[in-house]
Amino acid sequence: MDLFSDRMKPLLQVENLNVSFQTRKGRVYAVNGVSFQLYPGEILGIVGESGSGKSVTCYSLMGLIPNPPGRIDSGSALFEETDLLQCSSRVLRKIRGHHISMIFQDPMTSLNPYMRIGPQLIEPLRIHLKTPRQEAQQQAIRALNSVGIPEASLRLRQFPHELSGGMRQRVMMAMALITEPELLIADEPTTALDVTVQAQILELIRHRKEKTGASVLLITHDLGVVAEVCDRVVVMYAGRILETGSTRDIFKSPRHPYTSALQRSLPGRHRKGELLKTIPGMPPDLLEPLCGCPFADRCDYRVPECSEIDGELILESSDCGTACPRVHRGEISLNEVKQGGDSSL
Amino acid sequence: MNSSPEMLLELDRVKTYFPVERGLLFPSITGWVKAVDDVSFSVRKGEVFGLVGESGCGKSTLSRTILQLVRPTSGAVRFRGCDLVTLSRKELRSRRADMQMIFQDPYASLNPRMTVYDTLAEASQIRGATAANSVSSDIRKLLDQVGLAQRHIRKYPHEFSGGQRQRIAIARAIATRPELVIADEPVSALDVSVQAQILNLIINLCSERNLTMIFISHDLSVVRHLADRIAVMYLGRIVELGETETVFHDPLHPYTQCLIQAAPNPNPEMQEKRRYQAIQGDPPSPMNSPSGCAFHPRCPIAVDECSVHRPELQPLNPSRLVACPRTAEASAD
């Protein structure tokens, strides 16, 4: 789907990002040569298992990688003419919380437990837009209402611990969206929540995008969440992008053995009680720079060549690509993932 | 409830309440958290019984109550016909080997100072294997069964990945040759690809050893895959119970319907067909649960009566129970 790329300039363009961390055992190469674009008004999902580098990618955009031990080795991230990786911390502070906001997995640890909801909520307005306090209060009430929190004026006087988990995550969202940022980065926003509350938050993200046209970068490990809200998907593994494409394509006809294996291992795709198709082995150790395809050891379609290729993403159209040269050349056809019918809830 | 021979475990009106205390010096009880409130069901020998519900609905407290890690406030828990509630701690000890548990966080449930060998040896000695060579042959067999290499035998938990740790935890649980295993969210902390490996292991063990299992999870697709029957809990009570496929195909209780609809589905095409309205509100706190049916403030089909009378779990047919008079009537018509 070239829905976005034809008409628009990307809002965020990440090129060849490399991030590593110094540890006691040596340097860990957490993100290797990651490039992607995010267009205005789209929800881009970054999926991957733990340790795949999805969070590190987004933290480096926000300047949240602690240095030391972390280090951004190379790359650029253009957000409306500004390179987020090169700009001074003063410029970054102006962008963060105003043009780009972030919500985190655990709303309890990202809200200040000593502050009432009200002052926390209007902080970005007061700092970035210098909104007078009275007016900011009014906006805060509107923001809480828009994320579905009833009795907003009462909530403003409460402390975070007085709210439930879903309520806290909604406060976080209200806070992140109060300055109407062009880009919202959501790092596993629903992982700590119950399914019914998760459905509400996802609904909110989708609704927000439709209403304001803001872009969302959604980091998650849950393929179900991706299918639910994302327009496009980036699949990460061992610090690299293995596949990118529209959500529909990724689920219907995956273009990388890892993506297809991952989907085949979901219980919903099997007959009841049947043994699940598993991916043998473990993700590679990132302590050494990888050579070859990072998934080669666990791949069903491995050939000797796989340990020599550079493992880079081959773009097949402007926003669809695979890192598997064999799929690209049409040497292997990944079985279409069986859809629908009994396999779904 | 009749005690029939094939029932391994029977729960009869089990209630587990926790007191809420106020005051530091002279604490007084100001309320009760009804973590498990009047729960009855039975588990057949050899079946996988799924227990689903959101956090705080009491599914973990229920599992701890079954094992008597928490003593119930009232009710009976009969294991092979013997009421565990009436047993003393000492009497319980001898029965614990028959009932084992697998926890969510394998790191927290393994002793970090014990090697794999020590952990498993302790468990298998409970079953009377004392001679050193029989213990170590037991352990080798166990490691084989859970798919861990023999060279790991002298390692400590921190040297393993999450999936491997869960394998050790499973090996320890089956080391005492239990009849009943309670698995409390055993795969929730694991990545998708590892989750499939552990689920396969559980499926294999259940069929090889003819284990009876209570499988607790918030992930509906996992429970659907494993469980023969499921019970859906909301705020300490079971709201629906039945054969897994029947419940998933035709959920009767409004909460079950909401839960199944809210589960994200990794299939974008199904998504588009199903634009539903997410149910509003959060699960209420079990400390002050709503009057009448606990689900009525969030229920799309609630009527005034729902806030007055607490619906009992009613049998629709021998294998299906629902705690909602409105859906029970509708489906009887």
Side-chain angles (χ1 to χ4, degrees):
Chain A
M1 267 203 304
D2 284 12
L3 209 90
F4 300 99
S5 46
D6 285 350
R7 290 177 279 137
M8 285 185 246
K9 226 176 96 206
L11 176 73
L12 174 73
Q13 184 148 21
V14 178
E15 286 289 346
N16 194 26
L17 179 67
N18 287 284
V19 187
S20 61
F21 290 88
Q22 188 63 49
T23 66
R24 253 193 295 177
K25 287 183 186 166
R27 194 155 270 281
V28 172
Y29 296 85
V31 175
N32 300 296
V34 163
S35 309
F36 63 89
Q37 291 93 29
L38 176 69
Y39 295 97
E42 83 168 329
I43 302 183
L44 176 68
I46 300 190
V47 284
E49 300 180 81
S50 43
S52 63
K54 53 192 194 306
S55 294
V56 173
T57 303
C58 294
Y59 281 37
S60 37
L61 300 180
M62 294 291 275
L64 295 178
I65 298 287
N67 180 12
R71 190 176 73 197
I72 295 173
D73 297 319
S74 67
S76 67
L78 282 181
F79 175 78
E80 297 181 327
E81 319 288 305
T82 319
D83 188 342
L84 296 174
L85 304 181
Q86 301 295 331
C87 65
S88 67
S89 53
R90 235 184 91 233
V91 176
L92 197 57
R93 265 206 301 276
K94 286 214 164 126
I95 295 176
R96 267 195 316 221
H98 186 187
H99 300 287
I100 306 180
S101 339
M102 188 155 181
I103 50 179
F104 298 89
Q105 177 174 345
D106 183 352
M108 193 62 212
T109 51
S110 39
L111 288 169
N112 184 340
Y114 290 113
M115 266 171 100
R116 290 175 201 276
I117 299 295
Q120 294 193 59
L121 199 56
I122 62 171
E123 210 172 35
L125 282 178
R126 302 273 299 150
I127 290 171
H128 291 291
L129 301 172
K130 310 273 182 288
T131 315
R133 193 173 292 276
Q134 287 298 318
E135 204 185 312
Q137 288 280 359
Q138 291 308 312
Q139 275 196 45
I141 291 175
R142 277 201 299 277
L144 286 183
N145 282 330
S146 76
V147 294
I149 296 183
E151 302 170 278
S153 46
L154 174 82
R155 301 291 178 200
L156 290 180
R157 291 194 301 276
Q158 286 184 321
F159 285 97
H161 72 264
E162 296 176 79
L163 305 179
S164 68
M167 207 66 109
R168 275 182 222 140
Q169 195 59 293
R170 263 177 279 195
V171 168
M172 278 299 296
M173 281 204 53
M175 196 182 340
L177 296 170
I178 200 162
T179 54
E180 302 191 343
E182 287 90 338
L183 172 59
L184 174 70
I185 301 179
D187 184 7
E188 305 262 10
T190 59
T191 307
L193 305 175
D194 284 320
V195 265
T196 56
V197 182
Q198 163 169 290
Q200 293 164 13
I201 299 284
L202 293 180
E203 183 78 42
L204 206 61
I205 291 180
R206 202 160 39 206
H207 182 73
R208 186 78 194 186
K209 181 207 98 169
E210 278 160 19
K211 219 173 93 190
T212 64
S215 308
V216 182
L217 193 58
L218 182 78
I219 307 168
T220 179
H221 69 278
D222 188 334
L223 291 168
V225 170
V226 170
E228 192 104 12
V229 290
C230 296
D231 300 310
R232 268 193 323 124
V233 187
V234 165
V235 181
M236 286 191 73
Y237 181 80
R240 296 189 187 195
I241 296 181
L242 291 191
E243 183 176 0
T244 170
S246 75
T247 307
R248 179 177 285 262
D249 290 347
I250 292 255
F251 282 96
K252 206 169 170 210
S253 45
R255 303 274 297 153
H256 195 284
Y258 172 64
T259 324
S260 105
L262 204 57
Q263 286 184 54
R264 272 186 280 125
S265 67
L266 293 176
R269 304 254 187 237
H270 293 74
R271 217 161 323 122
K272 188 173 168 54
E274 188 181 54
L275 284 187
L276 301 167
K277 298 225 164 48
T278 58
I279 307 178
M282 313 267 301
D285 192 353
L286 297 175
L287 267 171
E288 299 139 36
L290 283 169
C291 58
C293 171
F295 188 59
D297 289 345
R298 307 173 75 187
C299 184
D300 291 340
Y301 305 96
R302 173 185 54 236
V303 291
E305 178 209 359
C306 291
S307 47
E308 286 152 28
I309 55 161
D310 56 6
E312 255 179 54
L313 194 68
I314 310 161
L315 282 181
E316 302 187 301
S317 72
S318 57
D319 54 9
C320 159
T322 172
C324 182
R326 301 198 66 208
V327 172
H328 179 65
R329 290 197 297 264
E331 284 174 18
I332 44 177
S333 68
L334 301 167
N335 293 338
E336 293 248 321
V337 179
K338 214 168 62 204
Q339 295 273 342
D342 211 41
S343 68
S344 50
L345 296 178
Chain B
M1 208 179 286
N2 293 325
S3 172
S4 45
E6 74 270 25
M7 293 300 176
L8 183 68
L9 179 77
E10 282 173 290
L11 271 71
D12 191 8
R13 308 201 77 111
V14 172
K15 294 180 182 172
T16 308
Y17 293 175
F18 296 107
V20 182
E21 291 177 355
R22 277 278 159 86
L24 199 62
L25 274 180
F26 306 102
S28 60
I29 293 170
T30 57
W32 295 90
V33 173
K34 299 178 174 177
V36 175
D37 197 7
D38 204 1
V39 166
S40 308
F41 65 85
S42 13
V43 180
R44 299 181 196 126
K45 201 165 163 40
E47 83 171 333
V48 178
F49 187 84
L51 202 55
V52 297
E54 297 179 278
S55 53
C57 75
K59 41 191 202 307
S60 294
T61 305
L62 180 58
S63 65
R64 286 169 169 76
T65 308
I66 293 171
L67 297 182
Q68 304 297 308
L69 298 173
V70 175
R71 291 290 195 158
T73 313
S74 71
V77 179
R78 280 189 288 273
F79 181 72
R80 283 189 302 201
C82 162
D83 190 354
L84 299 177
V85 179
T86 57
L87 297 182
S88 69
R89 287 174 67 113
K90 213 173 152 192
E91 289 168 312
L92 262 176
R93 263 205 121 144
S94 60
R95 315 227 168 202
R96 283 250 160 83
D98 294 333
M99 308 173 285
Q100 285 293 313
M101 189 148 177
I102 304 166
F103 296 91
Q104 172 172 0
D105 183 351
Y107 196 62
S109 59
L110 294 171
N111 187 337
R113 289 166 183 246
M114 281 165 89
T115 62
V116 175
Y117 181 89
D118 297 337
T119 303
L120 298 181
E122 190 180 53
S124 66
Q125 274 159 358
I126 290 171
R127 269 298 180 188
T130 42
N133 53 2
S134 86
V135 169
S136 70
S137 82
D138 266 10
I139 292 173
R140 280 175 202 288
K141 264 185 240 151
L142 280 170
L143 288 181
D144 265 349
Q145 275 187 321
V146 299
L148 273 179
Q150 303 291 345
R151 64 189 152 86
H152 292 318
I153 202 162
R154 297 282 167 201
K155 284 190 181 169
Y156 289 91
H158 74 264
E159 297 176 76
F160 294 97
S161 68
Q164 287 173 315
R165 275 182 219 148
Q166 200 59 292
R167 286 177 197 272
I168 302 170
I170 291 172
R172 182 190 56 183
I174 60 172
T176 62
R177 277 173 255 131
E179 281 186 79
L180 175 72
V181 172
I182 299 184
D184 189 358
E185 305 262 12
V187 296
S188 311
L190 306 175
D191 276 320
V192 182
S193 66
V194 184
Q195 174 179 316
Q197 295 170 3
I198 299 296
L199 287 176
N200 279 352
L201 175 61
I202 290 176
I203 293 173
N204 279 333
L205 287 176
C206 281
S207 63
E208 276 166 24
R209 302 192 155 222
N210 194 24
L211 282 180
T212 307
M213 178 171 278
I214 296 180
F215 191 93
I216 301 173
S217 180
H218 68 277
D219 187 335
L220 294 176
S221 63
V222 169
V223 176
R224 184 180 192 177
H225 190 72
L226 285 179
D228 302 311
R229 290 192 302 148
I230 64 163
V232 182
M233 278 186 85
Y234 188 75
L235 232 60
R237 288 175 161 249
I238 291 180
V239 296
E240 184 161 359
L241 193 153
E243 307 280 333
T244 309
E245 277 312 302
T246 338
V247 172
F248 272 94
H249 268 291
D250 181 26
L252 291 178
H253 195 279
Y255 177 65
T256 318
Q257 292 169 355
C258 293
L259 204 60
I260 290 175
Q261 282 190 330
N265 182 354
N267 179 349
E269 283 177 12
M270 292 297 286
Q271 300 288 329
E272 282 155 31
K273 280 187 217 151
R274 161 202 79 129
R275 280 272 151 188
Y276 69 96
Q277 191 63 46
I279 47 165
Q280 295 307 309
D282 298 320
S285 137
M287 224 169 96
N288 43 12
S289 67
S291 63
C293 170
F295 187 58
H296 84 265
R298 305 172 78 194
C299 179
I301 60 164
V303 290
D304 292 344
E305 195 199 334
C306 295
S307 59
V308 186
H309 296 294
R310 166 150 287 186
E312 292 291 321
L313 200 58
Q314 297 289 345
L316 275 187
N317 58 48
S319 63
R320 191 81 186 271
L321 297 128
V322 185
C324 180
R326 303 206 64 214
T327 52
E329 279 162 28
S331 69
D333 288 339

